[in-house]
């Protein structure tokens, strides 16, 4: 049975985590709107309705807060992809659903695209950007997925799996930025369909599309 002190500790931890999340989400939009250089901690504190010193209880400085904002966005994006993936059972449909979730996420959260741009432009000394750190973290799962489709005879086996993942990943990455800079020329569903038809069905053996 939990003690009163234990419950209070849990509640305090939850409140701190909720406040930290709120600070990060607020900062993410401010960084995207004003730019890293012009978004000082005072501005973030005012937007959060807290004292500036409170921010430093959670983050050593502006740079750490910025990276936390980018990291949160990529965590949320991967969670959206995972949910979409798990909403289907057929391997091909799982890919299609994930592509749709990717396009929707960045369309609904354009401030995270801005943060990715700023991270790349300002912190050029970073060996790996946050986007690719998260992508690489989930790469093994996608490798297993494609290998399973190849083993089932649904995907050509004359292309290295790494090249398949790199090509599709680069297409989506470029599409995300293109959509952000100039907007979509067609509805999102049509764009998703075009990606599937051009990129994915070209990999499938004839007559072996989505099953089930």
């Amino acid at each position: 049975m939990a003690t009163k002190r234990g419950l209070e500790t849990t509640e305090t931890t939850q409140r701190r985590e909720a406040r930290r999340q709120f600070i990060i989400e607020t900062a993410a939009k401010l960084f995207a709107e004003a730019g890293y250089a012009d978004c000082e901690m005072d501005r973030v504190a005012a937007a959060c309705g807290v004292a500036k010193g409170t921010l430093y209880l959670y983050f050593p400085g502006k740079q750490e807060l910025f990276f936390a904002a980018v990291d949160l966005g990529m965590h949320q994006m991967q969670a959206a992809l995972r949910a979409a993936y798990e909403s289907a059972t057929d391997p091909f449909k799982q890919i299609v659903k994930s592509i749709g979730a990717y396009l929707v996420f960045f369309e609904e959260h354009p401030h995270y695209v801005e943060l990715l741009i700023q991270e790349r432009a300002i912190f050029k000394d970073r060996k790996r950007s946050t986007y690719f750190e998260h992508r690489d973290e989930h790469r093994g799962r996608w490798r297993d997925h494609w290998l399973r489709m190849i083993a089932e005879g649904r995907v050509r086996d004359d292309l290295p799996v790494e090249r398949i993942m790199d090509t599709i990943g680069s297409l989506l990455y470029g599409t995300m930025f293109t959509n952000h800079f100039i907007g979509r020329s067609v509805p999102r569903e049509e764009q998703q369909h075009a990606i599937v038809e051009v990129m994915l069905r070209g990999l499938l053996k004839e007559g072996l599309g989505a099953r089930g």
Side-chain angles (χ1 to χ4, degrees), residues 94-109:
Q94 287 174 324
I95 295 172
V96 175
K97 291 271 191 178
S98 297
I99 290 173
Y102 182 97
L103 297 174
V104 168
F105 179 83
F106 285 110
E107 183 172 321
E108 294 182 347
H109 303 85

Side-chain angles (χ1 to χ4, degrees), residues 77-102 138 141-142 145 148:
M77 185 267 286
Q78 290 293 345
L81 264 63
R82 186 74 182 188
Y85 180 94
E86 293 177 350
S87 70
T89 55
D90 176 77
F92 181 77
K93 290 181 180 178
Q94 287 174 324
I95 295 172
V96 175
K97 291 271 191 178
S98 297
I99 290 173
Y102 182 97
H138 295 269
R141 176 168 62 87
W142 284 110
H145 183 96
R148 185 167 73 252

Side-chain angles (χ1 to χ4, degrees), residues 115-132:
L115 296 193
L116 293 176
I117 296 169
Q118 290 183 37
E119 181 188 25
R120 180 66 182 131
I122 298 169
F123 302 100
K124 295 182 179 180
D125 58 332
R126 299 199 82 192
K127 292 183 179 180
R128 202 75 167 158
S129 69
T130 305
Y131 178 95
F132 289 105

Side-chain angles (χ1 to χ4, degrees), residues 159-175:
L159 290 173
V161 173
E162 299 298 325
R163 298 295 75 77
I164 293 174
M165 294 192 296
D166 287 344
T167 302
I168 294 175
S170 296
L171 173 65
L172 291 176
Y173 189 64
T175 299

Side-chain angles (χ1 to χ4, degrees), residues 48-86:
C48 292
V50 300
K52 181 179 177 180
T54 301
L55 297 184
Y56 290 102
L57 295 175
Y58 294 88
F59 305 97
K62 185 171 75 167
Q63 181 172 307
E64 289 78 11
L65 176 56
F66 177 83
F67 288 144
V70 184
D71 189 62
L72 175 64
M74 296 306 95
H75 270 297
Q76 292 177 344
M77 185 267 286
Q78 290 293 345
L81 264 63
R82 186 74 182 188
Y85 180 94
E86 293 177 350

